């Protein structure tokens, strides 16, 4: 699958209609009230970056990383390949009890 096809499929998804633009360096901290909201935001932000060849660093719990990676794969984004390319770095955050 070509990158153009992935990007087209990614941007045509109703949930991902407002893909963030990655035109400046920086970082984002997301405050959330439930796990689904967080996953949806991460898929848009991280998926938008990976789809255009940019990089993303994610610091999240195992459960949140797994949910993110599962949803990204639905859109044809390969986090393993992006990780090998140095474009996807997933780090562990402590679990909240």
């Amino acid at each position: 699958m070509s990158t153009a096809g992935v990007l087209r499929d990614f941007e045509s998804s109703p949930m991902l209609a407002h893909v963030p633009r990655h035109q400046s360096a920086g970082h984002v901290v997301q405050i959330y009230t439930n796990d689904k909201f967080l996953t949806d935001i991460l898929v848009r932000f991280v998926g938008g970056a990976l789809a255009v060849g940019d990089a993303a660093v994610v610091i999240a719990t195992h459960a949140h990383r797994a949910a993110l990676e599962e949803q990204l794969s639905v859109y044809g984004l390969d986090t393993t390949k992006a990780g090998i390319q140095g474009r996807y770095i997933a780090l562990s955050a402590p679990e909240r009890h």
Side-chain angles (χ1 to χ4, degrees), residues 55-87:
V57 175
V58 175
I59 303 171
T61 64
H62 174 75
H64 289 149
R65 288 191 324 274
L68 169 62
E69 291 168 4
E70 179 180 330
Q71 286 302 304
L72 290 172
S73 72
V74 167
Y75 294 102
L77 297 168
D78 185 344
T79 55
T80 301
K81 182 177 179 181
I84 291 168
Q85 296 169 339
R87 297 186 308 107

Side-chain angles (χ1 to χ4, degrees), residues 21-29 45 49 55-57:
R21 300 295 172 218
H22 304 277
Q23 298 181 3
S24 63
H27 66 275
V28 172
V29 175
F45 193 77
V57 175

Side-chain angles (χ1 to χ4, degrees), residues 19-36:
V19 176
R21 300 295 172 218
H22 304 277
Q23 298 181 3
S24 63
H27 66 275
V28 172
V29 175
Q30 179 65 56
I31 307 299
Y32 64 98
T33 56
N34 65 60
D35 290 345
K36 176 152 178 28

